[in-house]
Amino acid sequence: MKYLLFLFFLLPLAAFAQLAETFADGNFTQNPTWSGDAASFSVASQVLQSNGPATTGTQLQLATPCQASTGTTWEFWANLKLATSSGNLADVWLLASQADLKSPATKGYFVRLGGTDDEVSLFRKDSAKAAVLVIDGQNGTLGSSTNNVVRVRVTRSLQGQWKLERDLGGGRNFMAEASQPIDNTHQRSAVVGVSLLYSAANSKNFYFDDFNVTDATAPLLTRAAPLDARTVDVVFNEAVDPAAAAQPDRYRLATGAVPTTAQVSALNPAVVRLTFGQDFASRNTLEVRQLADPYGNVAAEPLTATFGGVPVAPRIGELLITEIMARETPAVGLPASEFVEIYNNTASKILSLRGVRLLKTGSSTATALPDTAQLLPGQYAVVCGTTRAAQFAPYGKVYGVSNFPALSNTGDQLVLRGRTGTTLFEVAYTDDWYRDQRKKNGGWTLEMRDPSTYCGGTDNWQASQDASGGTPARRNSVATASPDRTPPTLLRAVALTASTVRLHFGEKLDSTAAANLALYTLQSSAGTALGVRQAAPVGPDFRAVDLLLGASLQPSQPVTVAVTRATDCAGNASGALASAGFALPEAALPGDLVVNEILFNHRSGGVYFVELLNRSARYLNLQGYQLATQKATGLGTCIISPAAAYVLAPGQLVALTSDPGILQAQYPTSSDAAALLAVAGFPALDNSAGTVYLYDATSQELDHYAYDKSQQLPLLSTQAGVSLERIRAAGPSLASNFHSAASTVGYATPGRLNSQTQDAAGGGQELTLTPELFTPDDDGQQDFTTLTYELDQPGYVGSVTVYDALGRLTRRLLRNESLPTTGTVQWDGTDDNGRKAAVGYYIIHVELFRPSGGERREYKKTVVVGARL
């Protein structure tokens, strides 16, 4: 068999007639010009005849353009001098999307002559799919083996109704097929044509004549589709005259506004894009005047279309990510595919997603959302990979995109950017946000609780509560009102360079407000004002502002920055002046930064920590410093603050740990959350003995301390959870300068002043009792007495007991407890049974004992319990 493509593309000859070809000129090379396999065709006796190779399987093609597609009549004459079959047939294309009919991607409609049923039928061809029968003609109408003459006429109305007629005598006495269906699948045309399929013996047995294509109908205005506040696509039912359609004065809004530009689409000649110089109203009526199709059919005027709800580019906080599926397996009920959900966070705007990109921090590839994508007010949509879109189609609106970023199970920073590069939304999620260990393991989404507080972080997200594992493209299962009424706080200031200072805030800022130079003042310790040349909010999360100074900072010279007002992205503004101190850091010398406290044997469920002290007069930046359990870097080494500056002022403390939350939970009253720093890869410490080393970013050793459980207080019932504290800051990092933390502070002081600190040895004991007369009557005035003590050295175990004037035991306040070098003990005037002590004199008996030296001391203080009359 041989498949011969025979295509006609016909240039308009006159108004209304797009093709009138009788081959009277004896050729097909001009008026109109056919292109393709011209050598395989000839014109004889003013009839086009096939003349291809007598080889089964050869494909041939001729072509010329024709855009007629609707409101059109096609007519042609043919004679197939052969017995038609599945291997011998002709397809006459009425409209086709491209010149290459050999391509499976070609779309359009064609009339088939012959085939298995020897009939005349109408087919539709969709891209890369088998042809679909539209009108099934009567079987056997082309039943001759030598002479199948037929004239065919096909009409398509403006409404898309098809009519197929034939005259088997070749005249004009047409007989219509009964079926006249409506099919509007394809509305555009590039060509008309004929394709032939034949066996070798029939290479010269196809004849064609009298092709006529007529479009006598003017274009209709189908719809107006706004793209943004000033751009609208005007869609017609057929191609329009490109010269006339590009004239802006042919278009006018009911308000009188005329577009500044009118541009016919290069991809679809039935679409004209109009751009106006002002924003559209909420409802608009467009008029089009004196517009014709390419064949001179002029539209009755005016053509009108209304449109409203103009899509606009999203602003900050209007387009959000409200759901994240990062760990998709094991699946619970949703497809096992990563996705994010986007949401139109407005009450009345239709958002155009043209130019919007999804980015993952650390990735060089941006994911572009479809230019035609839109979201209605309050509407959700799933964004996922192109190949996954079909999986989410049952859930609602889905946008399948190429280059969808791979989401980390443990956490990522995701950003939505607008067409101009503006950050529309940012979220930096972690797997701690699930708040549920089972759901954290996979198959459940993270959902935003309240879109109105989209600036919020962990407090505004949690694992989905839906039984399927998530709520793609619909309202989140955890949705609840959670308004943000708290203004931002200034956390710290860090000098990045001699001329740049970064201010860190506790939440996302209004980036526009934060760029106001008048909000910031800087003053050196000498009282000199430092000018600010620029304030640059740091994206994409805007939790920091970089201040560019007019003069250079001097190393380790303290500066105070004051912020008169800070506004978060929810609009909450701080009413009080906030300030922070900082200085340009210097390189540390050995001994500047030392180990100040260590917990190497934590309680069950606890974590280790190592506290560092800057005992120098320099400001030190710990970024890139190393903590190790051996001298050479490698196993047992962690990097301190690798991604950001972390500056310690002189005398400042920081406790390094793997999990500050656990550490603070185990020492709630004796730890300082602001001085706890999470360090990835924190080394496991031997709970018997070991050495910790501290290096700077160049691997220079700054300090090391060899700890041993034998250094703990012998009287401890357990060493688990008890830290070793440095006694004297200026002393050496030796066992003699460390002691067990006091029981009265919970046995550890991470981030706080050591309970056993003593800056100078000796000095004698000092005990004071204030007030010496108190009235425990709960009136808020002198309801208790306080014993304040200062000890000459660490390591004391103490007991504090209250006796009445007759020497009878009234209350045991402390009993054999290890004491810090300074502290207080309170008595509220009650006895050991919780009853109020009688009015009178009482003796406070203090006993001190040092197990290491066997030293014992006793003190007595008198106090009076009174009453108000």
Side-chain angles (χ1 to χ4, degrees):
M1 291 189 301
K2 177 176 180 179
Y3 189 61
L4 176 61
L5 283 150
F6 185 133
L7 231 69
F8 311 103
F9 292 97
L10 307 159
L11 295 173
L13 301 177
F16 310 130
Q18 284 70 61
L19 171 62
E21 175 63 279
T22 63
F23 302 102
D25 57 2
N27 67 72
F28 56 84
T29 58
Q30 59 185 356
N31 196 29
T33 299
W34 304 355
S35 60
D37 299 304
S40 295
F41 296 90
S42 63
V43 175
S45 301
Q46 299 183 7
V47 175
L48 185 67
Q49 179 185 357
S50 63
N51 191 25
T55 304
T56 298
T58 301
Q59 294 183 354
L60 307 172
Q61 180 174 300
L62 294 175
T64 191
C66 182
Q67 293 182 333
S69 61
T70 186
T72 302
T73 299
W74 295 265
E75 189 175 318
F76 62 89
W77 176 93
N79 188 0
L80 276 61
K81 296 183 178 182
L82 49 84
T84 65
S85 65
S86 61
N88 290 277
L89 54 84
D91 288 342
V92 180
W93 286 80
L94 310 179
L95 64 152
S97 60
Q98 60 181 4
D100 183 10
L101 297 186
K102 300 175 185 179
S103 171
T106 302
K107 300 176 289 185
Y109 299 90
F110 61 83
V111 172
R112 174 159 292 175
L113 304 178
T116 303
D117 293 331
D118 302 326
E119 63 186 6
V120 180
S121 300
L122 178 66
F123 284 82
R124 185 186 78 239
K125 177 67 170 59
D126 301 326
S127 179
K129 296 181 181 179
V132 177
L133 185 62
V134 177
I135 298 178
D136 187 5
Q138 182 179 339
N139 292 354
T141 53
L142 302 180
S144 172
S145 62
T146 59
N147 189 48
N148 291 294
V149 176
V150 64
R151 187 179 295 273
V152 176
R153 183 167 67 190
V154 180
T155 304
R156 186 188 197 185
S157 72
L158 292 174
Q159 291 73 36
Q161 186 173 31
W162 292 87
K163 183 179 181 181
L164 175 62
E165 302 174 280
R166 53 180 166 76
D167 181 347
L168 298 180
R172 305 190 64 80
N173 297 316
F174 291 107
M175 178 178 293
E177 296 293 347
S179 174
Q180 296 185 16
I182 293 177
D183 191 315
N184 284 311
T185 305
H186 303 302
Q187 296 286 338
R188 297 165 53 192
S189 178
V191 305
V192 296
V194 176
S195 61
L196 308 179
L197 175 64
Y198 61 78
S199 57
N202 293 318
S203 64
K204 300 181 179 182
N205 292 339
F206 293 85
Y207 298 82
F208 300 94
D209 200 358
D210 296 340
F211 286 92
N212 198 331
V213 180
T214 303
D215 177 358
T217 60
L220 297 177
L221 178 51
T222 303
R223 67 184 186 278
L227 300 180
D228 56 35
R230 299 187 178 187
T231 308
V232 60
D233 276 352
V234 184
V235 183
F236 297 90
N237 69 323
E238 62 174 328
V240 291
D241 177 20
Q247 298 173 9
D249 59 1
R250 294 184 182 269
Y251 311 90
R252 186 180 302 273
L253 294 177
T255 59
V258 174
T260 57
T261 62
Q263 184 175 8
V264 179
S265 170
L267 299 177
N268 186 351
V271 176
V272 182
R273 179 163 294 177
L274 306 179
T275 302
F276 287 79
Q278 58 190 32
D279 291 353
F280 297 129
S282 58
R283 296 295 298 174
N284 304 272
T285 299
L286 176 70
E287 296 181 353
V288 183
R289 299 173 181 272
Q290 294 294 315
L291 195 63
D293 64 15
Y295 319 113
N297 300 301
V298 180
E301 58 179 326
L303 298 178
T304 62
T306 59
F307 62 94
V310 179
V312 296
R315 297 180 180 179
I316 296 172
E318 293 183 344
L319 182 65
L320 311 179
I321 294 173
T322 51
E323 190 169 4
I324 302 169
M325 174 65 88
R327 188 188 291 263
E328 72 277 18
T329 56
V332 174
L334 297 178
S337 298
E338 294 180 350
F339 73 88
V340 298
E341 175 189 81
I342 57 176
Y343 172 64
N344 180 344
N345 192 32
T346 72
S348 58
K349 295 183 180 180
I350 298 176
L351 298 183
S352 168
L353 305 187
R354 181 161 62 99
V356 174
R357 293 168 295 147
L358 170 66
L359 301 94
K360 184 178 81 167
T361 300
S363 173
S364 59
T365 303
T367 301
L369 299 185
D371 275 357
T372 57
Q374 298 179 359
L375 280 183
L376 299 176
Q379 187 176 28
Y380 300 85
V382 169
V383 179
C384 61
T386 304
T387 60
R388 309 289 181 158
Q391 298 178 350
F392 291 99
Y395 297 92
K397 184 181 283 289
V398 181
Y399 293 122
V401 295
S402 58
N403 299 321
F404 184 81
L407 305 180
S408 170
N409 292 341
T410 56
D412 264 323
Q413 184 180 47
L414 303 177
V415 180
L416 290 175
R417 291 197 191 279
R419 66 186 68 166
T420 61
T422 302
T423 296
L424 304 175
F425 177 77
E426 176 275 341
V427 60
Y429 71 90
T430 74
D431 56 5
D432 292 333
W433 289 14
Y434 288 95
R435 309 181 196 181
D436 185 306
Q437 186 60 45
R438 177 177 63 91
K439 294 179 179 181
K440 176 180 177 179
N441 291 331
W444 298 83
T445 66
L446 283 172
E447 294 183 349
M448 180 184 285
R449 301 176 64 199
D450 187 355
S452 69
T453 57
Y454 62 88
C455 300
T458 179
D459 293 339
N460 201 32
W461 289 78
Q462 69 181 81
S464 175
Q465 296 177 355
D466 192 88
S468 68
T471 55
R474 60 187 174 92
R475 188 173 187 265
N476 287 346
S477 63
V478 301
T480 184
S482 181
D484 177 7
R485 298 189 177 93
T486 305
T489 56
L490 176 61
L491 301 180
R492 64 185 184 279
V494 177
L496 301 181
T497 67
S499 59
T500 304
V501 178
R502 177 163 292 179
L503 309 184
H504 294 267
F505 292 85
E507 58 179 310
K508 299 178 184 179
L509 300 178
D510 180 328
S511 57
T512 302
N516 184 358
L517 291 179
L519 299 177
Y520 312 99
T521 57
L522 289 88
Q523 190 174 56
S524 70
S525 57
T528 305
L530 303 177
V532 179
R533 291 195 296 150
Q534 182 182 13
V538 181
D541 59 354
F542 302 113
R543 293 175 182 268
V545 178
D546 283 349
L547 302 181
L548 182 62
L549 307 182
S552 296
L553 299 170
Q554 298 303 309
S556 295
Q557 297 301 307
V559 176
T560 300
V561 58
V563 182
T564 57
R565 184 179 67 258
T567 306
D568 65 18
C569 68
N572 300 303
S574 58
L577 181 72
S579 62
F582 68 94
L584 182 66
E586 299 182 71
L589 299 176
D592 282 355
L593 189 68
V594 295
V595 176
N596 194 59
E597 185 178 0
I598 182 170
L599 178 66
F600 56 87
N601 184 4
H602 59 69
R603 297 167 185 157
S604 176
V607 290
Y608 305 106
F609 78 83
V610 174
E611 182 185 78
L612 307 180
L613 167 66
N614 178 5
R615 63 179 186 180
S616 74
R618 285 178 280 273
Y619 283 73
L620 307 177
N621 183 4
L622 273 56
Q623 183 177 6
Y625 282 27
Q626 305 166 56
L627 181 72
T629 55
Q630 58 185 39
K631 284 194 175 184
T633 59
L635 183 65
T637 300
C638 61
I639 307 299
I640 302 170
S641 191
Y646 194 95
V647 177
L648 280 188
Q652 190 175 355
L653 301 167
V654 62
L656 312 178
T657 183
S658 60
D659 193 320
I662 294 177
L663 186 61
Q664 189 176 21
Q666 294 216 330
Y667 301 96
T669 60
S670 58
S671 61
D672 183 356
L676 306 183
L677 180 62
V679 177
F682 192 93
L685 303 179
D686 190 297
N687 60 13
S688 295
T691 304
V692 290
Y693 298 87
L694 183 61
Y695 302 93
D696 67 11
T698 65
S699 297
Q700 173 187 225
E701 182 179 320
L702 303 177
D703 187 38
H704 72 271
Y705 168 57
Y707 64 87
D708 192 287
K709 65 179 182 180
S710 63
Q711 298 168 19
Q712 295 280 24
L713 183 67
L715 297 180
L716 292 172
S717 59
T718 177
Q719 294 186 2
V722 182
S723 71
L724 287 174
E725 295 180 331
R726 179 181 288 267
I727 299 171
R728 289 177 293 279
S733 296
L734 300 175
S736 60
N737 196 33
F738 281 78
H739 196 279
S740 300
S743 62
T744 53
V745 296
Y747 293 108
T749 55
R752 291 189 181 275
L753 183 69
N754 287 348
S755 63
Q756 303 291 7
T757 189
Q758 181 182 339
D759 289 333
Q765 315 288 16
E766 182 177 342
L767 291 90
T768 59
L769 197 62
T770 306
E772 295 181 347
L773 185 155
F774 70 105
T775 55
D777 51 10
D778 200 26
D779 63 353
Q781 299 181 16
Q782 298 181 327
D783 286 329
F784 58 86
T785 187
T786 300
L787 175 69
T788 302
Y789 62 87
E790 289 187 20
L791 307 181
D792 60 351
Q793 54 187 311
Y796 279 100
V797 174
S799 297
V800 179
T801 310
V802 181
Y803 296 92
D804 65 12
L806 298 178
R808 294 174 297 190
L809 176 64
T810 301
R811 178 78 178 270
R812 296 184 186 273
L813 299 177
L814 293 180
R815 189 170 186 177
N816 294 329
E817 293 196 29
S818 59
L819 300 176
T821 53
T822 63
T824 60
V825 181
Q826 290 182 348
W827 182 39
D828 60 3
T830 61
D831 61 18
D832 280 338
N833 296 317
R835 294 189 296 266
K836 182 178 178 181
V839 173
Y841 287 89
Y842 290 83
I843 302 299
I844 306 294
H845 183 219
V846 180
E847 298 176 279
L848 300 177
F849 171 67
R850 292 190 74 249
S852 59
E855 180 181 358
R856 181 184 299 275
R857 298 182 183 182
E858 294 187 48
Y859 303 89
K860 294 180 180 180
K861 293 287 184 179
T862 302
V863 67
V864 177
V865 175
R868 299 185 187 275
L869 300 177

